[in-house]
Amino acid sequence: MLVALIAHDKPGALPIRQENRPAHVEYLKSSAAVQQAGPLLNDAGEMCGSLIILDVADMDEAKAWVQGDPYGAAGLFASVDLIPWNRVIG
């Protein structure tokens, strides 16, 4: 199943994001579940969240993936939504 992970950073958390970005990117690259990924941007073009498309067996696997993400461990996110997603194009 495809799951869209949409996460919004806590206000003022850009330094936390930047500090943990190398470990987060390595986690993304090492995971077979990740189909697409990239940061959300604010009006100033600064990273302020994440959009990740996961291909997982079930929602429990998606939740486990989130638990392993270095951004989550660093307390970056104000919110994380996991939403089943249906790919139509691409």
Side-chain angles (χ1 to χ4, degrees):
M1 84 183 282
L2 296 175
V3 175
L5 183 164
I6 302 171
H8 296 277
D9 296 357
K10 292 178 180 174
L14 185 57
I16 295 170
R17 174 175 281 276
Q18 292 169 326
E19 180 180 320
N20 291 278
R21 186 169 171 76
H24 168 74
V25 170
E26 185 58 36
Y27 184 66
L28 291 171
K29 289 179 178 180
S30 71
S31 173
V34 176
Q35 299 299 298
Q36 296 182 40
L40 301 175
L41 305 176
N42 63 18
D43 291 340
E46 298 170 331
M47 296 178 287
C48 63
S50 297
L51 171 62
I52 302 169
I53 303 298
L54 300 171
D55 188 354
V56 292
D58 54 32
M59 196 58 78
D60 286 339
E61 186 178 340
K63 291 175 184 175
W65 192 93
V66 171
Q67 293 299 313
D69 184 356
Y71 278 170
L76 174 63
F77 299 127
S79 66
V80 177
D81 293 314
L82 293 169
I83 305 165
W85 183 65
N86 181 38
R87 181 187 342 238
V88 174
I89 297 173

